[in-house]
Amino acid sequence: MLKEIDEILTRATASFQAASDEAAIEALRVEFLGRKSPLQTLASQMRELSPEERPAAGKSLNSAKARINDLLKEALANLTNKNIGANTFLDVTLPGREPGVGTKHPVSLVIDECVAIFRRLGFIVAEGPEIETVRNNFDALNTPVDHPSRDPLDTFYFSDGRLLRTQTSPVQIRVMESSEPPIRIVAPGRCFRRDTPDATHSMNFHQIEGLYIDEQVSLAELKSVLLAFARELFGPEVSIRMRPHFFPFTEPSVEYDFSCIMCKGQGCPICKNSGWLEIAGAGMVDPEVLANVGYDPEKWSGYAFGMGIERIAMIKYRINDIRLLYENDLRFLKQF
Ligand code: DAH
């Protein structure tokens, strides 16, 4: 019987190694491990052996069964490996896949560029929190109690009375209250207003604020700084203009425009044929604001300005919808 078991094993080994598909392997499983397999037949003949022969034969039968089970597993594993090889051909000469490297968000690019320009003009960067007090965001900035911007329909309030800052101007108050003049800062940051989102409005946007406090500061200095900034940002041919306006915290107040960088002031759809692009607000710091932070308005004077980062990004990169800046669509962001 031992000799027969050996022969069965030899045949099984050769057959499993030659089997090239699942059907062939399954047929061999039935042939060598099924109910009518030669090993089963031998097992049923065990009774006919003498008691001395039986233990060795039983042991041999069991190990043969185990070996054939292993052969089956190996054959199936080989088949799987072969399939993987066929479906995913590995070409080791191909260059590797580069891990994607992120790019800076256009809003960050504009903030970085504005900050770099103002640094060269002698400004340092200041920051303030996004959650502000009513005092810093409105009261100390001389905003009348009935000013529409205070309305809960325009401003996000917390139940404790604080708010999400609606502008970067409260950083002016923080800086003036924590340091002595002369002061020359820019403060970039996130602001929040309860606006209905559309192509030019977002509830969440960014501004960069500027503040200069010293003795005998003039509006002419403000204009020259803004002109230098405009030319650094958009090129030497840009000019600026100021129009009278009103802000509670500056007197006089102005809105300033850059000549349209698209049509060079000739008039085009971007500047609505005016030749000018409205950039933001500015003015001479109101003596009331200086007094609110404990500065002597007789001694100190200054100018302030604030502009929208998204507005500049949209002009610079020709983006026609502010919402593109917040959708995080990689196809859009990868262009910067
Ligand atoms: N805070 C103003 C706004 O959000 C912008 C502004 C205007 C800032 C005049 C200033 C300024 O510092 O002087 O509309």
Side-chain angles (χ1 to χ4, degrees), residues 125-140:
V125 175
E127 276 183 334
E130 288 163 10
I131 298 178
E132 263 295 4
T133 58
V134 171
R135 178 185 179 270
N136 287 347
N137 196 84
F138 291 127
D139 299 342

Side-chain angles (χ1 to χ4, degrees), residues 166-169 172 193 207 209-210 247 249-250 281-283 304-306:
T166 60
Q167 49 191 355
T168 42
S169 305
Q172 290 187 32
R193 278 181 208 179
Q207 290 186 336
E209 189 84 9
F247 294 105
F249 33 87
T250 41
F305 55 85

Side-chain angles (χ1 to χ4, degrees), residues 21 37 51-52 116 123 153 165 168 198 223 238 240 254 322 326:
D21 59 35
S37 71
E52 298 81 52
F123 290 77
L153 286 173
R165 68 177 177 196
T168 42
D198 62 23
K223 189 167 185 184
V238 174
I240 69 167
V254 299
I322 195 170
Y326 300 107

Side-chain angles (χ1 to χ4, degrees), residues 16 25 29 33 67-77:
F16 274 109
I25 293 174
R29 187 190 67 79
L33 295 168
R67 175 72 195 128
I68 293 177
N69 256 316
D70 286 347
L71 287 172
L72 172 68
K73 275 189 219 150
E74 278 166 31
L76 287 173

Side-chain angles (χ1 to χ4, degrees), residues 19 63 79 144 156 194 215 236 240 251 261 270 312 316 324:
S63 74
L79 195 67
F156 293 103
R194 236 182 167 137
E215 291 177 52
I240 69 167
E251 182 59 38
I261 56 162
I270 306 290
I312 295 175
K316 189 172 164 76
L324 285 166

Side-chain angles (χ1 to χ4, degrees), residues 27-41:
L28 291 175
R29 187 190 67 79
V30 173
E31 182 182 341
F32 287 100
L33 295 168
R35 266 187 303 125
K36 291 178 187 155
S37 71
L39 288 182
Q40 267 323 106
T41 314

